[in-house]
């Protein structure tokens, strides 16, 4: 059949407001199954899709493994929270399904090799959810950098939101309620917590913000948001097959509430090719980036500095030379691949068996930067990284921080 049957795992914010609306509009895609730990979410998503497709087309599941067991499901979207991304992706690939995995990839390096090997050995298509590479304006920024239009790339300044950014939306301020309350009747909290250590259920823990900022289930926005910009930095630096080899900086976490992922960080990362990446939270970045940017709005951003100029996706796509946005490529230029939309690119690659815009190796290398920067910020020590063997060098204490202990299920 020319149609791709998809299973949607996770029907919360990203599933119901991003993947489902986009995929359900595609004529050659049919979402045939949904799963979520909240009964109301999965039943609601199935009901809306059945209204569109016809009664009985879409089935809702409490256990995502029932979707993986269906032979008619070709591909799955892993849109659950961060702690589930790697385990679900590995299980899906083992089951012979192609995988679109939301970002970040994982909380540690314990399953990285297994994911890489499973995707390769099972010949699965893998798309990582850093969708900026499928948006034309970002490609228009990266292509001049790769082709030397700002001269030789020397350094990158990159920042993202942190746990303080959405504080007005937390039920209990500043950083989430620590008071245990009864679990809602239609919610399987044990399944939501999944492989992560069990923790008390509170009114903030399983909101989208809790999923992003509770350290039991997430690395915080240093991974959840910054990884979009890191994907662009890796792309521009032609380093999708590696990561920086040195990390040194500082950071801090909140001392109250349950959202205890990094609230501030400032880490210098050194690439093997000599390019330096300064990786910051957005508050730290303000005084750094506004030295060249024309204005400042809180959020995420990156600036590429070359020997002959700079270019950025921040503040309305700023640059030292506005003609760069209208630069016509030369016959000798490298032309980056074009994708009209990230979900669509995934479906096209499922059908063609070509590599996606953001394959597994790219995801693993981006993820390494988030995890290693976190370790450097928390410990305050210089972290030496061997990207070939994916090991921290001569620091057994830091090496232990790359691995988490998971619950058995």
């Amino acid at each position: 059949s020319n149609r791709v049957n998809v299973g949607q795992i996770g029907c919360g914010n990203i599933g119901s407001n991003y993947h489902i609306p986009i995929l359900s509009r595609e004529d050659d895609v049919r979402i045939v199954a949904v799963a979520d730990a909240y009964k109301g979410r999965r039943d609601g998503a199935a009901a809306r899709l059945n209204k569109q497709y016809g009664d009985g087309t879409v089935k809702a599941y409490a256990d995502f493994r029932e979707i993986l067991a269906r032979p008619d499901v070709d591909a799955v979207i892993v849109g659950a929270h961060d702690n589930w991304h790697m385990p679900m992706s590995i299980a899906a690939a083992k089951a012979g399904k192609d995988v679109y995995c939301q970002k970040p990839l994982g909380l540690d390096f314990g399953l990285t090799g297994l994911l890489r090997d499973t995707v390769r050995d099972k010949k699965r298509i893998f798309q990582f959810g850093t969708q900026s590479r499928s948006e034309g304006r970002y490609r228009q920024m990266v292509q001049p950098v790769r082709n030397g239009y700002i001269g030789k790339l020397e350094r990158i300044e990159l920042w993202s939101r942190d746990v303080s950014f959405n504080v007005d939306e937390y039920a209990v301020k500043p950083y989430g309620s620590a008071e245990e309350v009864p679990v809602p009747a239609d919610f399987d909290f044990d399944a939501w917590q999944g492989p992560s250590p069990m923790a008390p259920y509170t009114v903030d823990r399983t909101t989208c913000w809790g999923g992003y900022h509770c350290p039991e289930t997430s690395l915080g926005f240093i991974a959840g948001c910054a990884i979009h910009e890191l994907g662009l930095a890796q792309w521009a630096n032609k380093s999708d097959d590696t990561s920086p080899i040195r990390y040194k900086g500082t950071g801090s976490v909140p001392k109250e509430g349950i959202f205890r992922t990094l609230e501030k960080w400032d880490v210098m990362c050194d690439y093997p090719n000599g390019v330096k990446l300064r990786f910051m939270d957005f508050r730290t970045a303000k005084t750094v980036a506004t030295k060249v940017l024309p204005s400042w709005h809180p959020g995420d951003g990156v600036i590429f500095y070359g020997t002959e100029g700079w270019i950025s996706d921040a503040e309305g796509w700023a640059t030292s030379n506005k003609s760069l946005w209208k630069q016509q490529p030369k016959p000798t230029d490298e032309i980056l691949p074009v994708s009209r939309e990230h979900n669509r690119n995934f479906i096209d690659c499922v059908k063609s068996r070509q590599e996606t815009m953001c394959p597994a190796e790219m995801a693993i290398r981006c993820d390494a930067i988030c995890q290693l920067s976190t370790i450097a910020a928390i410990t305050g020590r210089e972290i030496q990284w061997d990207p070939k063997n994916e090991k921290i060098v001569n620091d057994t204490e830091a090496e232990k921080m790359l691995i988490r202990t998971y619950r058995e299920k």
Side-chain angles (χ1 to χ4, degrees):
S1 170
N2 189 51
R3 191 177 71 197
V4 177
N5 285 341
V6 171
Q8 173 68 42
I9 303 173
C11 302
N13 179 44
I14 288 175
S16 291
N17 296 320
Y18 175 58
H19 291 294
I20 291 175
I22 291 173
L23 289 171
S24 63
R25 291 196 297 265
E26 300 295 318
D27 292 337
D28 59 346
V29 176
R30 183 64 54 86
I31 301 171
V32 296
V34 297
D36 197 278
Y38 280 93
K39 186 177 187 302
R41 286 181 184 173
R42 63 180 182 261
D43 288 349
R48 290 189 295 274
L49 286 166
N50 280 324
K51 185 176 180 180
Q52 175 181 341
Y53 294 145
D55 288 345
T57 304
V58 184
K59 188 172 181 180
Y61 296 94
D63 189 334
F64 75 96
R65 289 169 292 193
E66 293 188 69
I67 293 179
L68 303 187
R70 286 181 52 165
D72 63 326
V73 172
D74 304 304
V76 297
I77 309 295
V78 177
H81 277 299
D82 300 1
N83 57 320
W84 268 117
H85 289 175
M86 195 97 76
M88 285 179 174
S89 294
I90 293 169
K94 282 185 175 181
K97 314 303 181 188
D98 295 323
V99 181
Y100 183 128
C101 177
Q102 265 300 333
K103 44 72 189 171
L105 192 59
L107 308 187
D108 63 17
F109 255 71
L111 298 176
T112 299
L114 181 56
L115 174 71
R116 178 190 280 122
D117 293 346
T118 305
V119 169
R120 181 194 63 225
D121 296 345
K122 293 291 186 178
K123 296 179 170 59
R124 291 300 92 201
I125 298 299
F126 185 93
Q127 176 82 297
F128 191 42
T130 46
Q131 66 266 24
S132 297
R133 291 198 184 188
S134 288
E135 298 176 21
R137 193 69 163 170
Y138 292 104
R139 185 177 64 254
Q140 194 176 351
M141 174 183 65
V142 168
Q143 192 160 287
V145 178
R146 289 177 65 109
N147 284 298
Y149 285 99
I150 62 170
K152 184 179 185 297
L153 180 63
E154 293 186 322
R155 61 190 175 95
I156 304 167
E157 292 173 356
L158 187 151
W159 62 93
S160 82
R161 291 161 282 176
D162 58 62
V163 67
S164 72
F165 190 78
N166 302 100
V167 68
D168 289 342
E169 299 180 46
Y170 304 157
V172 175
K173 301 169 183 55
Y175 293 131
S177 172
E179 181 182 351
E180 187 169 9
V181 296
V183 177
D186 76 334
F187 177 46
D188 187 343
F189 180 46
D190 182 68
W192 194 95
Q193 200 71 8
S196 297
M198 184 50 68
Y201 176 82
T202 83
V203 294
D204 278 301
R205 184 171 293 280
T206 64
T207 63
C208 62
W209 310 120
Y212 298 144
H213 296 305
C214 288
E216 297 86 355
T217 52
S218 174
L219 288 175
F221 275 171
I222 192 172
C225 286
I227 203 160
H228 287 294
E229 303 293 347
L230 287 169
L232 298 173
Q234 290 278 93
W235 207 18
N237 193 38
K238 303 182 182 180
S239 50
D240 274 349
D241 61 346
T242 188
S243 304
I245 56 176
R246 282 182 294 276
Y247 303 76
K248 185 174 178 58
T250 59
S252 62
V253 298
K255 292 181 169 46
E256 56 186 312
I258 59 170
F259 297 172
R260 295 194 176 190
T261 56
L262 284 169
E263 62 176 344
K264 287 205 168 188
W265 65 91
D266 188 356
V267 180
M268 185 63 72
C269 314
D270 297 334
Y271 278 102
N273 65 358
V275 172
K276 292 188 176 295
L277 166 68
R278 187 173 180 182
F279 185 13
M280 301 164 279
D281 66 272
F282 77 105
R283 290 176 293 174
T284 299
K286 181 177 180 180
T287 57
V288 177
T290 51
K291 292 176 182 177
V292 296
L293 292 178
S295 57
W296 178 258
H297 292 86
D300 313 327
V302 63
I303 308 175
F304 298 101
Y305 293 92
T307 54
E308 299 173 20
W310 59 270
I311 192 168
S312 174
D313 63 357
E315 302 308 295
W317 306 88
T319 177
S320 58
N321 181 358
K322 292 183 179 180
S323 67
L324 286 176
W325 296 118
K326 299 179 181 179
Q327 179 69 47
Q328 294 299 312
K330 300 174 183 176
T332 55
D333 281 353
E334 175 190 17
I335 305 300
L336 294 175
V338 175
S339 163
R340 67 178 173 90
E341 197 278 322
H342 215 50
N343 290 276
R344 183 65 244 178
N345 175 250
F346 174 58
I347 297 300
D348 289 342
C349 292
V350 167
K351 296 169 76 171
S352 70
R353 312 313 291 173
Q354 300 298 308
E355 193 170 75
T356 63
M357 293 295 292
C358 298
E361 191 64 30
M362 170 268 184
I364 289 168
R365 300 299 182 168
C366 280
D367 227 51
I369 303 174
C370 303
Q371 296 184 31
L372 294 164
S373 295
T374 298
I375 293 172
I378 289 174
T379 63
R381 298 201 297 272
E382 181 174 306
I383 302 299
Q384 303 278 343
W385 178 245
D386 176 354
K388 181 179 179 180
N389 296 304
E390 295 182 321
K391 297 284 186 181
I392 291 176
V393 180
N394 297 328
D395 191 331
T396 55
E397 183 180 345
E399 183 74 17
K400 290 177 182 178
M401 296 174 71
L402 277 177
I403 306 296
R404 293 195 182 202
T405 301
Y406 294 106
R407 292 195 299 152
E408 295 291 335
K409 181 65 174 176

